[in-house]
Amino acid sequence: MDCNLAVSLMHDYLDDDLSKEQQLELKTHMLSCPDCRMQFKELEQTDMLMFSLTHHTPSAPLELTERIMNSLPKQKKQQLWLTWVKRHPAITAAAIFVLVMLFSTVSFWDQDTQLVVKGSDLDQVVIEGNTVIVPEGKSIAGNLTVENGKTQIYGDVQGNLTVIDGSLYQASTAHISGQVKSIDQAMDWIWYKITNMFSDVAYR
């Protein structure tokens, strides 16, 4: 018999509603469990007090009432964080979503090694293996993004250049009119993805 079952049977025992077999099981358990034995003693004292109050005393003193109420088992207080979650379901759902997205993005960061080249003028780009080259004399009109590869700039990039998890080489003949970003940390990459996602949504 476990303690939860024993506690539930104690009330029936005091009301004389248990069979002899159940009484024997309960007594056997209490002999081996000091916590249940103590709880039964407290319940028994409370039961006796309640009986004496209802049968002998017309009105109980305030001090005695407080003692009885304090001796009763106290209801467990709900944990603060669970109460907060119940009061703010939308914020909780959003926080869980962000955490899932972050963990998913980090896992993709670790697994993704395929070369990705993005831009609006890619016919001016030469790709050799995992190396992306803008040759001397060639000009890219717009932004250029290279993921998981080497980037070598000899010509012009008339926009921003972003290199993600790769290396960048700029020759003396290179000219980049926009910003140059090199992203090689997971958190920088996550922030880049999030800002790009919002930008894509805004322009759709």
Side-chain angles (χ1 to χ4, degrees), residues 141-164:
N143 298 332
L144 177 64
T145 302
V146 180
E147 294 186 40
N148 305 312
K150 298 176 182 178
T151 307
Q152 297 178 1
I153 308 297
Y154 298 91
D156 297 339
V157 177
Q158 298 174 8
N160 297 328
L161 173 64
T162 305
V163 178
I164 302 171

Side-chain angles (χ1 to χ4, degrees), residues 43-199:
L43 284 172
E44 192 175 36
Q45 289 174 351
T46 303
D47 192 60
M48 290 172 63
L49 283 171
M50 294 299 292
F51 180 84
S52 64
L53 285 171
T54 54
H55 287 77
H56 302 289
T57 309
S59 60
L62 182 61
E63 184 181 352
L64 181 59
T65 304
E66 289 178 355
R67 281 175 53 198
I68 293 170
M69 294 303 295
N70 289 333
S71 68
L72 293 173
K74 290 181 174 60
Q75 197 172 23
K76 288 184 178 179
K77 291 184 179 179
Q78 200 170 38
Q79 293 183 1
L80 290 175
W81 69 269
L82 192 57
T83 305
W84 191 92
V85 165
K86 287 184 177 180
R87 288 182 182 175
H88 306 89
I91 295 174
T92 304
I96 292 172
F97 174 76
V98 169
L99 283 174
V100 170
M101 289 297 292
L102 283 174
F103 282 120
S104 300
T105 308
V106 170
S107 67
F108 282 132
W109 166 265
D110 291 334
Q111 295 172 7
D112 192 9
T113 57
Q114 184 178 1
L115 176 66
V116 178
V117 183
K118 295 179 184 177
S120 56
D121 201 7
L122 296 181
D123 56 337
Q124 303 295 316
V125 173
V126 176
I127 299 175
E128 296 178 355
N130 69 335
T131 304
V132 178
I133 304 168
V134 178
E136 186 177 354
K138 298 291 183 178
S139 179
I140 295 178
N143 298 332
L144 177 64
T145 302
V146 180
E147 294 186 40
N148 305 312
K150 298 176 182 178
T151 307
Q152 297 178 1
I153 308 297
Y154 298 91
D156 297 339
V157 177
Q158 298 174 8
N160 297 328
L161 173 64
T162 305
V163 178
I164 302 171
D165 196 21
S167 61
L168 171 62
Y169 170 76
Q170 295 182 61
S172 58
T173 56
H175 178 263
I176 301 170
S177 61
Q179 293 182 344
V180 178
K181 296 179 184 177
S182 182
I183 300 170
D184 57 2
Q185 298 295 326
M187 290 308 295
D188 291 338
W189 186 73
I190 291 167
W191 179 248
Y192 169 78
K193 286 291 185 182
I194 290 171
T195 52
N196 271 16
M197 179 180 68
F198 283 115
S199 298

